[in-house]
């Protein structure tokens, strides 16, 4: 069943099931899935409990919840079964083998007279009989993780137990090999900061709610760690081997009470966790002078951080290992870790520790430029959807956008520091201003809205002309008379203004900028595709003025949805199977939203985005974007 494991361990790897034995797992075939109708899934409750189970072809979300009700001894009528963005209802065909699912309670009322609905470790382990550690996924990309699992399981059988890590805000554990050496770090998803079973007192939320960063949900940092490893093609940045696992051990923490108190017991607890190879090192970057770091190592880590919009690249998560041997005096090797706060669901303010290091201002080498040139954001997105089916569409759009930005910026000749600065927000006093990247996205959305409006008006005029000619033929009326009597066609924005409805936010933004520039007629836009519109020449809106207009417009429109062309059916509208999508995160300090576009509009957005990049890079090179020292506040989550 598990060809990578020793035969003596096979009897311990029985997955909890309700109907028959599990199917055979694929052997050494990249991204291959089970050929039979059965699929193995791992269901996790929003309080952290995990159960491995088999899905039959006849199963739907209701039958799965009934099975979970029997297993967990809790009511599941008012709960939802979620896979990534999708709320599962009748059809489970979108659920692939080895997928982690989340069972969330829609309504949950607790009082002193109502017992907590979360099952205790004792209740759960009477039913979950899966193996000590199982890698979630059958791809060859996780071959290194499977070897680590074999070493760890051998050590556990001879009595070598894992060790809790006392630093940090979340629960983490060193797992060792038979020699007692640390070989992996395991971080359970339900022991993250604010998660239900956090062992250090940082509790108060269920899985799926906003976490330390509002655009990264509680319980979802684990798959981001795996995503960073999968995106590090050819180990370019030295990200250690990482995988999602289902792991069972008594060392894990369970807060059995509503007040979050720790439960010390010897019962076996099953968790979904990230497992990352432990890298022996001498210190981290905060304990070593950064000037001696190799330029290539800094560039490679920075390239990865830009692609994944890392919001927490501080010195503490850059491991430093000395290289020994002749001619290697004072040479070091860097290993980036802790990528749980990358790939946010919206454009965030990244935190790049390297942004002011001298290495970041050195131009990219030819090898680095070749690597960037060969990056394919759409292929990367498809790969992540295959390997991590729980990843959200919003995260993938951030990946695609940032990779395109990196490729265009590197081709234009910008260095790593310039790229990082264009992605980072600026602080004016205590006010946070959008980054240059976000301003480009705002301009792109404005241009897209105008193109759709002009297209809509042209379509309406064409239809009216056709109808007009038909009416003339039918009624044999005078053409000139008919033209005089024809009512004028009003755009959606004009109708809204006449009826007292506030117009599109981006229209206000354009007018505000033009009023400040005092360039002539108010509200008149340059023609689409012209040099003035595309940002070449004197028609480029000043970044500081555009940023101020964004702030003023957002203050007046807070909490109001953007008006405009009606959204077409797409992934946000659900599918024909009856499945719906999970609600967006609560509003935060996001200036640009990428998930309010269907697939066609998103593709058009990317085309317009690329057209506006060259003028923005030209401004950056000319020094028009920002001539003063960038004022930033630390947003790292290092404690």
């Amino acid at each position: 069943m598990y060809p990578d494991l020793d035969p003596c361990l096979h009897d311990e790897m029985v997955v909890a099931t309700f109907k028959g034995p599990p199917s055979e797992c694929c052997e050494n075939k990249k991204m291959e899935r089970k050929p039979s109708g059965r699929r193995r899934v791992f269901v996790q409750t929003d309080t952290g409990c995990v159960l491995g189970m088999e899905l039959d072809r006849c199963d739907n979300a209701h039958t799965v919840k009934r099975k979970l009700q029997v297993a967990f001894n809790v009511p599941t009528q008012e709960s939802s079964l979620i896979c990534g963005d999708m709320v599962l209802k009748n059809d489970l065909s979108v659920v692939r083998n080895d997928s982690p699912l989340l069972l969330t309670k829609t309504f949950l009322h607790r009082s002193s007279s109502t017992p907590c609905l979360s099952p205790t470790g004792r209740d759960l382990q009477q039913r979950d009989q899966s193996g000590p550690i199982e890698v979630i996924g059958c791809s060859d990309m996780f071959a290194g993780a499977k070897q680590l699992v074999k070493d760890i399981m051998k050590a556990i059988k001879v009595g070598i137990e894992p060790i809790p890590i006392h630093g940090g805000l979340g629960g983490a554990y060193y797992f060792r090999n038979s020699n007692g050496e640390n070989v992996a770090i395991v971080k359970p998803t339900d022991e993250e900061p604010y998660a239900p079973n956090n062992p250090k007192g940082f509790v108060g939320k269920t899985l799926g709610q906003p976490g330390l960063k509002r655009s990264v949900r509680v319980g979802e940092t684990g798959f981001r760690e795996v995503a960073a490893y999968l995106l590090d093609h050819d180990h370019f940045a030295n990200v250690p081997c990482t995988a999602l696992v289902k792991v069972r051990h008594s060392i894990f923490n369970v807060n059995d009470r509503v007040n979050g108190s720790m439960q010390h017991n010897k019962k076996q607890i099953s968790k979904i966790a990230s497992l990352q190879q432990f890298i022996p090192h001498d210190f981290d970057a905060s304990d070593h002078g950064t000037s001696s770091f190799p330029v290539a190592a800094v560039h490679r880590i920075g390239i990865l951080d830009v692609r994944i919009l890392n919001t927490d690249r501080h010195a503490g998560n850059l491991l430093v290992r000395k290289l020994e041997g002749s001619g290697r005096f004072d040479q070091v090797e860097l290993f980036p870790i802790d990528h749980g706060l990358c790939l946010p669901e919206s454009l965030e303010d990244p935190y790049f520790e390297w942004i002011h290091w001298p290495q970041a201002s050195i131009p990219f080498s030819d090898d680095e430029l070749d690597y960037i040139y060969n990056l394919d954001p759409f292929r990367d997105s498809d790969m992540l959807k295959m390997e991590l089916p729980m990843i959200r569409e919003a995260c993938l759009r951030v990946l695609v956008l940032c990779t395109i930005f990196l490729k265009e910026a590197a081709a234009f000749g910008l260095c790593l520091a310039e790229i990082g600065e264009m992605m980072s927000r600026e602080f004016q006093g205590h006010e946070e201003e959008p980054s240059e990247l976000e301003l480009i996205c705002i301009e792109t959305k404005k241009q897209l809205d105008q193109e759709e409006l002009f297209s809509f008006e042209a379509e309406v005029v064409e239809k009216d002309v056709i109808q007009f000619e038909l009416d003339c033929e039918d009624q044999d009326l005078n053409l000139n008379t008919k033209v005089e009597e024809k009512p004028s066609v009003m755009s959606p924005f004009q109708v809204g203004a006449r009826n007292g409805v506030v117009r599109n936010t981006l229209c206000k933004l354009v007018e505000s900028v033009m009023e400040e520039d005092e360039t002539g007629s108010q509200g008149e836009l340059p023609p689409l595709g012209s040099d003035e519109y595309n940002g070449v020449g004197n028609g480029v809106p000043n970044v500081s003025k555009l940023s101020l207009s964004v702030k003023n417009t957002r203050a007046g429109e807070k909490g109001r949805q953007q008006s405009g062309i009606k959204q077409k059916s797409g992934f946000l509208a659900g599918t024909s199977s009856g499945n719906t999508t999970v609600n967006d995160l609560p509003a935060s300090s996001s200036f640009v939203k990428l998930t309010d576009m269907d697939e066609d509009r998103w593709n058009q957005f990317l085309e317009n985005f690329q057209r506006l990049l060259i003028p923005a890079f030209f401004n950056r090179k000319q020094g028009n974007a920002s001539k003063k020292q960038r004022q930033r506040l630390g947003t790292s989550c290092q404690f």
Side-chain angles (χ1 to χ4, degrees), residues 271-441:
K271 305 265 187 171
I272 290 180
S274 64
L275 179 145
Q276 185 171 80
Q277 178 187 5
F278 174 78
I279 301 297
H281 57 282
D282 298 290
F283 32 73
D284 61 47
S286 62
D287 300 324
H288 190 274
T290 60
S291 60
S292 65
F293 292 164
V295 174
V298 174
H299 282 190
R300 292 178 174 216
I301 293 171
I303 289 170
L304 176 67
D305 287 340
V306 168
R307 292 169 61 203
I308 62 179
L309 193 64
N310 196 346
T311 64
D312 194 34
R313 173 61 73 213
H314 58 77
N317 57 36
L318 281 176
L319 304 182
V320 183
R321 183 165 67 188
K322 294 180 180 179
L323 295 176
E324 299 178 356
S326 58
R328 288 190 168 186
F329 177 74
D330 202 29
Q331 291 190 10
V332 297
E333 190 175 10
L334 301 182
F335 295 88
I337 60 171
D338 292 344
H339 298 100
L341 296 178
C342 71
L343 295 177
E345 293 186 36
S346 60
L347 289 181
E348 279 270 3
D349 185 28
Y351 187 85
F352 300 144
E353 182 81 15
W354 42 258
I355 200 168
H356 297 302
W357 294 357
Q359 297 92 328
S361 296
I362 297 176
F364 290 119
S365 67
D366 290 340
D367 288 342
E368 292 159 356
L369 290 174
D370 288 342
Y371 181 86
I372 295 173
Y373 176 81
N374 290 317
L375 291 173
D376 186 338
F378 302 101
R379 183 176 59 191
D380 288 340
S381 175
D382 292 339
M383 180 269 295
L384 288 185
K385 281 192 285 190
M386 178 65 71
E387 296 298 337
L388 300 171
M390 77 295 297
I391 194 168
R392 299 179 185 274
E393 181 70 20
C395 306
L396 298 175
R397 291 192 171 188
V398 168
L399 169 67
V400 170
L401 185 78
C402 292
T403 304
I404 291 175
F405 182 77
L406 168 67
K407 289 169 67 70
E408 296 290 343
F412 187 83
L414 298 187
C415 66
L416 181 60
E418 292 173 318
I419 295 173
E421 288 175 355
M422 290 189 71
M423 300 178 71
S424 301
R425 292 177 182 173
E426 189 175 353
F427 286 83
Q428 299 286 351
H430 297 289
E431 294 289 335
E432 189 177 43
E433 300 294 334
S435 66
E436 293 173 56
L437 172 61
E438 289 171 309
L439 292 176
I440 296 171
C441 291

Side-chain angles (χ1 to χ4, degrees), residues 260-280:
S261 63
M262 294 175 59
Q263 177 73 16
H264 301 282
N265 56 64
K266 296 296 183 180
K267 301 296 181 180
Q268 296 282 309
I269 305 297
S270 292
K271 305 265 187 171
I272 290 180
S274 64
L275 179 145
Q276 185 171 80
Q277 178 187 5
F278 174 78
I279 301 297

Side-chain angles (χ1 to χ4, degrees), residues 179-326:
N179 298 324
E181 301 167 333
N182 296 333
V183 295
I185 298 177
V186 172
K187 300 178 182 178
T189 58
D190 67 323
E191 297 188 26
E192 295 176 7
Y194 300 144
N197 293 320
N198 182 277
K200 299 170 184 177
F202 299 100
V203 295
K205 295 185 178 182
T206 58
L207 302 184
Q209 292 184 320
L212 280 175
K213 299 281 187 179
R214 293 187 64 83
S215 57
V216 177
R217 303 174 192 249
V218 174
E220 297 188 2
T221 64
F223 76 72
R224 287 175 164 85
E225 297 255 20
V226 181
Y229 167 69
L230 294 175
L231 291 170
D232 186 25
H233 306 305
D234 303 321
H235 305 291
F236 188 72
N238 260 356
V239 178
C241 175
T242 313
L244 272 185
V245 295
K246 179 178 180 291
V247 53
R248 188 179 78 232
H249 202 279
S250 60
I251 195 172
F252 294 134
N253 180 66
V254 174
N255 296 327
D256 274 344
R257 299 181 181 178
V258 176
N259 60 11
S261 63
M262 294 175 59
Q263 177 73 16
H264 301 282
N265 56 64
K266 296 296 183 180
K267 301 296 181 180
Q268 296 282 309
I269 305 297
S270 292
K271 305 265 187 171
I272 290 180
S274 64
L275 179 145
Q276 185 171 80
Q277 178 187 5
F278 174 78
I279 301 297
H281 57 282
D282 298 290
F283 32 73
D284 61 47
S286 62
D287 300 324
H288 190 274
T290 60
S291 60
S292 65
F293 292 164
V295 174
V298 174
H299 282 190
R300 292 178 174 216
I301 293 171
I303 289 170
L304 176 67
D305 287 340
V306 168
R307 292 169 61 203
I308 62 179
L309 193 64
N310 196 346
T311 64
D312 194 34
R313 173 61 73 213
H314 58 77
N317 57 36
L318 281 176
L319 304 182
V320 183
R321 183 165 67 188
K322 294 180 180 179
L323 295 176
E324 299 178 356
S326 58

Side-chain angles (χ1 to χ4, degrees), residues 28-43:
N28 300 325
K29 291 185 179 180
K30 188 174 183 180
M31 302 172 78
E32 182 180 347
R33 305 299 165 187
K34 289 186 180 181
S36 69
R38 288 185 180 275
R39 289 159 292 166
R40 182 180 63 167
V41 297
F42 300 97
V43 183

Side-chain angles (χ1 to χ4, degrees), residues 154-169:
K154 290 178 181 179
I156 291 176
K157 286 188 72 68
V158 298
I160 298 178
E161 304 295 338
I163 303 172
I165 301 175
H166 298 292
L169 297 178

